[in-house]
Amino acid sequence: MTKRIAIAALAALALAACGGSDSDPPSGPTLDTATAIGTYLDGKRWVMTGNDIPTHPNGYSEDVNYGAATQCYNRVTLSMAASTWTTVSALGTLTGAPNAGDTGDCDRTTVLATLPAFNSNAVLIENVAAGGACFDITVTYTGFAQEGRGKFSADGRTMTLELYFSGQATGHRCANGAVGASSVTLNGAAFTGNAQQVYRLQ
């Protein structure tokens, strides 16, 4: 047996011992229930930055001055432990909109300030579709809540959350369509923006 054949044979034996082959597709986590999703999220950290930030976080344009509720972000980090979500947000810099209600331009690359971390009081995941292709989610914090629908990529390393402030949106659940479907009414008007927050596993 030549040296090259011997190396190939050893590689094949190693693959067989692992129960796979070099042509096996990568497998992701099984995320078919709320419990499975909660278990998968526990202990993980997810980051949204750059073009993963939507133009309308929570349904509101990043280019509009909403005072303390302005939605211009540079980076958002979600850390999960024991069913509690800890959120740390770095604000981007909104230019050309000095007064409340003004429309300017959100500079996502320049950090204005990093907000103090805040923790969720409750996280409710419901109505999970096969593979985590869509699930309803409600996250409650002190003083406000977010609700909407989410999904995972096939490998489980990307989580997309389409979220709105509680009580303001309708048509934003999986029963109304997939994440990003044009089914949402926000404060009584058809919502045409992008509220899909894309988080990547770190």
Side-chain angles (χ1 to χ4, degrees):
M1 180 181 291
T2 67
K3 183 177 181 182
R4 180 175 297 176
I5 294 174
I7 292 173
L10 287 172
L13 286 172
L15 284 170
C18 294
S21 72
D22 58 3
S23 62
D24 285 344
S27 59
T30 301
L31 301 172
D32 292 339
T33 67
T35 299
I37 290 175
T39 299
Y40 178 67
L41 292 176
D42 191 40
K44 291 182 172 61
R45 186 170 74 103
W46 304 78
V47 173
M48 175 179 71
T49 190
N51 290 331
D52 289 337
I53 302 170
T55 58
H56 290 69
N58 297 297
Y60 291 91
S61 173
E62 64 180 353
D63 294 326
V64 176
N65 183 340
Y66 293 109
T70 297
Q71 298 296 301
C72 179
Y73 294 101
N74 165 267
R75 182 184 182 94
V76 178
T77 301
L78 297 178
S79 301
M80 291 85 165
S83 300
T84 297
W85 291 22
T86 299
T87 303
V88 177
S89 301
L91 300 178
T93 301
L94 181 60
T95 61
N99 303 308
D102 288 350
T103 299
D105 181 65
C106 174
D107 176 5
R108 298 176 180 172
T109 65
T110 303
V111 177
L112 175 67
T114 299
L115 301 179
F118 55 96
N119 298 326
S120 66
N121 298 323
V123 178
L124 178 63
I125 295 173
E126 304 174 287
N127 304 318
V128 181
C134 193
F135 54 90
D136 293 342
I137 182 167
T138 303
V139 186
T140 303
Y141 300 93
T142 299
F144 74 100
Q146 296 169 301
E147 58 186 30
R149 52 197 172 190
K151 67 178 180 179
F152 288 97
S153 60
D155 63 2
R157 298 190 63 82
T158 302
M159 176 175 64
T160 302
L161 301 176
E162 182 188 358
L163 298 173
Y164 304 89
F165 290 123
S166 179
Q168 297 186 357
T170 60
H172 59 313
R173 299 299 198 176
C174 294
N176 307 115
V179 174
S182 57
S183 58
V184 179
T185 296
L186 185 65
N187 294 321
F191 177 68
T192 58
N194 173 19
Q196 299 176 61
Q197 303 179 32
V198 179
Y199 291 89
R200 300 186 187 275
L201 182 62
Q202 298 297 297

